[in-house]
Amino acid sequence: MNGSLVSTVYPSDVLANPDLKWETARQFDVGVDARFLNNRLTFGMDFYNKNTVDQILTLTPPLATGTTSMAKNIGKVNNHGFEFELGWQDQVGEFTYGVNANLATISSEVKEMEGARIVNDLSDFVYFDKGQPMWSYYGYKYLGVNPEDGSAMYYDKDKSGTIDDKDKVYLGSAIPDFTYGITLNAAYKGFDLTVFGSGSHGGLLSLYGARLTPSANKPSELWTDSWDVKGAGAKYPHPDPIGDTASRNSSMWLKSGSYFKIKQIQLGYTLPSSFTKKIAISRLRVYVSLDNFFCITPYWGMDPEAVSGTSGIGMDYGDYPTPKTLTFGANLSF
């Protein structure tokens, strides 16, 4: 106005919900911690059962509202499971060593909800549905390749002869059955070694971009094991099926997200105090560390750990893998 910028306001793209209220969580825990053999053997176990009432979800409101999202209390979710820890520490002469392991299970289920199943805002393949884990895949069950023409075959739930929305079924969840970790450590005459690994078992991940875009980068096996290359007996249909509207929401894109990763291997050496005192240092330790160098997984994407860490619904958006690092360092104490 009059040649000057004026600060103004505009409507929010979030639809207000005057009935929105806080989630309420009630959790029950019981556990035991035990030590044996002069603390060399340790054991811990915990059971938890958590119920979240008035679970809040972000939904897409009707387009007529001119907004893109709204928060709403939907229902009740139960999460429960066990956590275990087991450790052993011992010393033989100047050699000390230890092993520590842990394992945690989780079971998730939507106990109550308002209305019919709800699709996730970020994917039309993931739903919030009563009787299933909090976010579950819901789509077409892939049965294999038609050996005659290379097209994909799907489970015809209602036996109508056509594949449509009535044939969608529960396909699984990104939530793993259990997660685990192990740490090994040893020391001898100034040298010390630590090896740490962690993993996850169960849970399905989906290649989000590849299943939506024909030109997107895809795992090579979708071509090398396709009908175009192998013919009858191939695992996958034409790489870019024309007219196959069920493909993008089918179990063909789901892959186990299980993995075991060596998160760190670190070797260090602490110089003798008789030497460090001569240079006015009370303690000097040098080390080399390999981080995230080794991973064992059936997943066909870059890094199942990165996907699980950024997407609670199991969608692989092309997440950058956890970087491998080689580190040299020194710890000084004066």
Side-chain angles (χ1 to χ4, degrees):
M1 297 178 67
N2 298 325
S4 300
L5 296 176
V6 178
S7 299
T8 60
V9 297
Y10 63 91
S12 170
D13 61 353
V14 178
L15 182 64
N17 179 4
D19 297 322
L20 187 67
K21 55 186 176 181
W22 290 105
E23 294 179 347
T24 301
R26 301 181 179 89
Q27 182 166 328
F28 168 79
D29 289 88
V30 60
V32 59
D33 290 297
R35 296 176 180 272
F36 307 93
L37 304 175
N38 294 325
N39 293 329
R40 287 181 295 173
L41 177 64
T42 59
F43 172 77
M45 183 186 71
D46 180 74
F47 171 77
Y48 66 93
N49 186 53
K50 180 179 180 180
N51 288 299
T52 302
V53 182
D54 296 323
Q55 178 79 45
I56 297 177
L57 296 184
T58 301
L59 310 177
T60 301
L63 294 177
T65 64
T67 57
T68 60
S69 66
M70 68 172 293
K72 187 176 181 181
N73 299 98
I74 297 299
K76 175 182 177 181
V77 177
N78 174 261
N79 291 301
H80 65 274
F82 288 91
E83 296 177 351
F84 300 94
E85 292 184 4
L86 184 65
W88 174 265
Q89 302 288 333
D90 201 4
Q91 180 172 350
V92 180
E94 296 185 63
F95 178 70
T96 61
Y97 66 96
V99 181
N100 289 280
N102 62 77
L103 183 146
T105 69
I106 180 171
S107 295
S108 175
E109 182 181 353
V110 178
K111 291 291 188 180
E112 301 173 7
M113 67 174 294
E114 177 184 329
R117 67 174 63 94
I118 299 170
V119 64
N120 186 276
D121 282 349
L122 300 177
S123 173
D124 57 356
F125 193 27
V126 181
Y127 285 75
F128 185 92
D129 195 11
K130 185 177 179 180
Q132 306 297 351
M134 184 171 174
W135 290 115
S136 303
Y137 299 111
Y138 189 74
Y140 303 101
K141 184 178 180 180
Y142 175 67
L143 298 181
V145 182
N146 185 328
E148 297 181 359
D149 59 11
S151 62
M153 298 186 297
Y154 304 100
Y155 172 57
D156 187 1
K157 181 181 177 181
D158 60 0
K159 303 186 185 304
S160 65
T162 58
I163 301 300
D164 52 30
D165 283 350
K166 295 179 181 179
D167 298 309
K168 289 184 176 181
V169 295
Y170 168 72
L171 299 175
S173 169
I175 299 175
D177 298 323
F178 60 86
T179 58
Y180 58 96
I182 185 170
T183 302
L184 309 175
N185 57 75
Y188 180 72
K189 290 187 176 181
F191 288 95
D192 63 88
L193 174 68
T194 299
V195 180
F196 167 61
S198 65
S200 172
H201 179 77
L204 299 172
L205 304 179
S206 173
L207 283 176
Y208 182 81
R211 74 181 182 88
L212 295 179
T213 310
S215 60
N217 289 329
K218 295 179 172 64
S220 60
E221 66 179 280
L222 288 171
W223 168 251
T224 59
D225 203 359
S226 70
W227 185 84
D228 296 56
V229 176
K230 290 190 174 182
K235 187 176 181 180
Y236 300 105
H238 294 296
D240 297 319
I242 298 175
D244 186 353
T245 57
S247 175
R248 58 180 284 170
N249 289 338
S250 75
S251 59
M252 186 180 75
W253 297 105
L254 298 178
K255 201 80 166 181
S256 170
S258 300
Y259 70 91
F260 176 71
K261 183 178 290 187
I262 302 296
K263 298 289 292 179
Q264 184 180 67
I265 302 175
Q266 185 177 115
L267 177 64
Y269 178 68
T270 302
L271 276 69
S273 58
S274 59
F275 172 77
T276 56
K277 287 181 180 179
K278 295 179 181 180
I279 54 176
I281 298 176
S282 62
R283 186 175 184 273
L284 173 59
R285 177 179 177 269
V286 293
Y287 65 90
V288 58
S289 181
L290 297 177
D291 299 332
N292 301 303
F293 260 73
F294 308 101
C295 182
I296 302 171
T297 178
Y299 184 58
W300 55 11
M302 288 188 289
D303 186 352
E305 182 187 32
V307 177
S308 299
T310 59
S311 172
I313 61 174
M315 294 287 105
D316 186 346
Y317 301 113
D319 302 82
Y320 284 103
T322 307
K324 296 179 180 180
T325 60
L326 170 60
T327 307
F328 298 92
N331 302 120
L332 297 172
S333 300
F334 295 94

